[in-house]
Amino acid sequence: MYHPPNQGYLPDSFLDLAAASVPSLFIGDLNVKHTIWGCSANNSRGCTADNRALLFLNEGFPTYHSFRYNTAEALDIALTRADVFPFCHWSVLGNIGSDYLFIKIELKKS
């Protein structure tokens, strides 16, 4: 999923997907920032997303490096419901020359 940085808050319809009874995994560049998942600061989008029932798989590592500003942020996030969370393992893979890093999510059914 992608949500441009200039379009204000995340739509409630997206954030309310957590209430669905189907196991779900959401991945995207949502331009939400929060220190919980590895950003240097919080923005209003990140605070809104953090107050919902979805759990973040991100483990505090940046997923984006700005070569222009020499900064690193976790703009790409992965969220899931509590019933799926224990079966997920999230990691950031090495840099391949892009400003975005690859993310690997392993799903392990027990």
Side-chain angles (χ1 to χ4, degrees):
M1 297 178 183
Y2 176 70
H3 192 72
N6 60 349
Q7 288 191 359
Y9 293 104
L10 294 173
D12 282 339
S13 58
F14 167 76
L15 294 171
D16 289 339
L17 290 172
S21 60
V22 149
S24 305
L25 178 65
F26 305 98
I27 305 165
D29 177 358
L30 301 178
N31 288 293
V32 296
K33 294 183 180 183
H34 202 290
T35 55
I36 289 174
W37 57 81
C39 291
S40 59
N42 300 343
N43 68 8
S44 58
R45 286 183 184 187
C47 293
T48 301
D50 185 45
N51 291 331
R52 301 297 176 126
L54 294 170
L55 300 174
F56 289 86
L57 297 175
N58 297 49
E59 296 178 353
F61 299 103
T63 62
Y64 172 82
H65 289 271
S66 170
F67 299 117
R68 182 177 184 184
Y69 298 108
N70 195 26
T71 60
E73 297 287 351
L75 299 181
D76 301 297
I77 58 172
L79 308 102
T80 190
R81 293 168 29 100
D83 54 344
V84 177
F85 185 83
F87 306 107
C88 298
H89 176 72
W90 180 93
S91 58
V92 176
L93 304 179
N95 189 324
I96 61 162
S98 171
D99 47 357
Y100 283 90
L101 302 174
F102 281 100
I103 299 168
K104 178 180 175 182
I105 299 172
E106 297 175 89
L107 299 173
K108 297 183 180 184
K109 188 174 179 181
S110 60

